[in-house]
Amino acid sequence: MISNYAELFLICAIILMPIFYETSSRFRYYFKFVVYYAVVILNSFILIPVFLFRPCDVRNLVLASKFCRLASPIISIKWEVRGAEYMNADRAMVMVANHQSSLDILGMFDFWHIMDKCTVIAKRELFFAWPFGLAAWLSGLIFIDRRHAQRAQTSMNESSKMLIKNHTKLWVFPEGTRRTTNEIHQFKKGAFHVAVRAQLPILPVVFSSYHTFLDDRKKVMNPGHVIVTALPPIETKGLTNEDIPELIERTRNAMIETFKATTKEVENRFNLSGHGMTPAKGTTTVISRIAAAIPSSMRSVNASVTTPTVTSLIEPEPRKIGSLIGGDASPIKEPTAYRRKDVQRD
């Protein structure tokens, strides 16, 4: 009796999930973030015992990235890295990047093996978000208390000695707070103070705009393509604290120019004006993949329910979809066409 109810519940879940996924942009938005966070949390549980063999070693992040970057194809985001030769340099430097979403970390997982020895400045509150916080600490992340500027600055200055000694890169989001406003906001001075005092180069890293696929206000996340560009290092040798405002302005202006150019390139390359693309021949849909996952015993009993009814409800006729990646590269074909920011999203 209980097994029958369990089978019925499983069948209902299998039927309803793709229906919600296909018809509700809000459901897709939350579903993808849940998948992303679930992958990170699961890997944290698995890797913590491994990290204990070399605690607080930044090389643990390279191992973690190999597992966590598996979330990108699941939620249909592709990261295109440019300037990898700058990231791969075997030297200490301060890397500054624009901050749009927690998805920035997912992008970093995709190219952490290129950076190799790299750590991140993170807010202190993240340490208490276990198991991720514990795994991050064991991976050598530097936690700072942003409510106390002097303490935060001291922690960052002390970290510079480790950076120089071990040829480690320090990743900082100088905007402080993440914002999906399709622009790069003013920078805080902390990262630049560290670079100038330690005479380390600044390496700007620019993520193209997420507005081509993400809208946090309307809870929309479509498949996305992001260009990540590492610009040539900006040397700080000979600079003093008096030069920091000019250094910040120079760095930010270079990043804004690249941000606009790469965002425009993504828009033009994928024709992000609301025009959908038809599915490639031979590609599978969400429904066919879910149906294939149903055990044969259950499928035979409920064939009349799963096959004609679900298909007629969700796919009554061929329709346009909006997948950036296209073909077999995208694991899930979505029904929502891409739109520019000035066109209302679904």
Side-chain angles (χ1 to χ4, degrees):
M1 186 69 176
I2 297 178
S3 61
N4 291 336
Y5 279 117
E7 287 185 6
L8 180 61
F9 177 80
L10 180 60
I11 293 172
C12 291
I14 291 174
I15 294 175
L16 292 177
M17 184 172 292
I19 293 176
F20 288 137
Y21 191 92
E22 291 282 329
T23 58
S24 172
S25 61
R26 184 177 291 268
F27 179 86
R28 288 193 300 275
Y29 174 90
Y30 286 113
F31 178 81
K32 289 184 176 185
F33 270 109
V34 167
V35 169
Y36 166 33
Y37 295 144
V39 169
V40 173
I41 292 173
L42 178 61
N43 283 305
S44 297
F45 273 118
I46 296 174
L47 294 174
I48 283 175
V50 179
F51 293 166
L52 290 174
F53 286 97
R54 53 179 187 185
C56 301
D57 191 325
V58 296
R59 291 175 298 174
N60 288 335
L61 289 166
V62 178
L63 176 61
S65 69
K66 292 181 179 180
F67 294 92
C68 292
R69 65 173 175 237
L70 297 176
S72 289
I74 295 176
I75 65 175
S76 301
I77 298 181
K78 185 175 181 179
W79 309 92
E80 178 183 343
V81 180
R82 297 176 180 176
E85 65 275 14
Y86 302 127
M87 293 183 179
N88 194 37
D90 186 22
R91 61 184 300 193
M93 60 179 67
V94 178
M95 304 177 71
V96 295
N98 56 316
H99 198 14
Q100 302 178 73
S101 166
S102 61
L103 293 174
D104 298 337
I105 307 301
L106 183 58
M108 293 172 67
F109 287 143
D110 199 72
F111 53 81
W112 216 303
H113 64 285
I114 299 175
M115 300 186 293
D116 193 20
K117 291 183 291 185
C118 178
T119 187
V120 180
I121 291 290
K123 59 184 179 181
R124 181 172 174 267
E125 290 78 6
L126 283 178
F127 173 74
F128 300 101
W130 286 27
F132 170 77
L134 178 58
W137 180 76
L138 290 171
S139 299
L141 258 69
I142 301 172
F143 295 96
I144 61 172
D145 189 350
R146 296 191 301 180
R147 295 173 298 179
H148 299 87
Q150 189 58 44
R151 293 181 188 175
Q153 189 63 54
T154 301
S155 298
M156 293 177 69
N157 290 336
E158 291 176 351
S159 67
S160 62
K161 299 178 182 178
M162 178 272 294
L163 301 178
I164 297 173
K165 179 181 179 181
N166 300 325
H167 291 194
T168 302
K169 305 170 185 69
L170 177 66
W171 184 290
V172 184
F173 294 109
E175 291 172 285
T177 304
R178 58 181 183 263
R179 301 181 180 93
T180 53
T181 57
N182 198 30
E183 59 182 321
I184 296 180
H185 296 264
Q186 293 296 325
F187 289 170
K188 299 181 184 299
K189 296 181 180 180
F192 299 90
H193 275 289
V194 172
V196 169
R197 290 180 182 177
Q199 297 290 277
L200 296 175
I202 295 286
L203 183 67
V205 180
V206 183
F207 292 78
S208 62
S209 178
Y210 293 173
H211 91 276
T212 55
F213 66 94
L214 178 66
D215 190 330
D216 287 323
R217 186 172 59 86
K218 295 184 178 180
K219 308 304 179 189
V220 173
M221 188 197 297
N222 292 323
H225 188 104
V226 181
I227 298 176
V228 184
T229 308
L231 303 179
I234 301 174
E235 296 294 338
T236 62
K237 291 183 178 179
L239 299 184
T240 64
N241 288 342
E242 286 71 25
D243 300 310
I244 289 178
E246 182 181 351
L247 177 63
I248 292 176
E249 194 66 19
R250 176 185 173 188
T251 304
R252 183 169 176 269
N253 287 340
M255 292 175 66
I256 289 175
E257 182 179 350
T258 302
F259 178 79
K260 292 180 178 179
T262 53
T263 299
K264 189 68 174 179
E265 180 182 343
V266 171
E267 292 176 342
N268 291 338
R269 187 192 303 181
F270 299 105
N271 192 25
L272 304 185
S273 58
H275 302 294
M277 297 182 292
T278 55
K281 292 183 178 180
T283 57
T284 57
T285 63
V286 174
I287 299 303
S288 61
R289 296 187 183 204
I290 294 297
I294 301 177
S296 57
S297 59
M298 296 167 56
R299 189 162 58 243
S300 60
V301 175
N302 300 279
S304 60
V305 177
T306 57
T307 305
T309 306
V310 175
T311 305
S312 61
L313 280 174
I314 300 181
E315 297 183 350
E317 60 182 12
R319 57 200 175 100
K320 294 182 178 181
I321 61 174
S323 172
L324 273 175
I325 303 176
D328 291 331
S330 178
I332 298 177
K333 298 300 180 182
E334 307 249 1
T336 307
Y338 282 78
R339 291 170 171 82
R340 295 182 187 268
K341 191 175 181 181
D342 55 346
V343 179
Q344 185 176 0
R345 300 192 182 200
D346 65 336

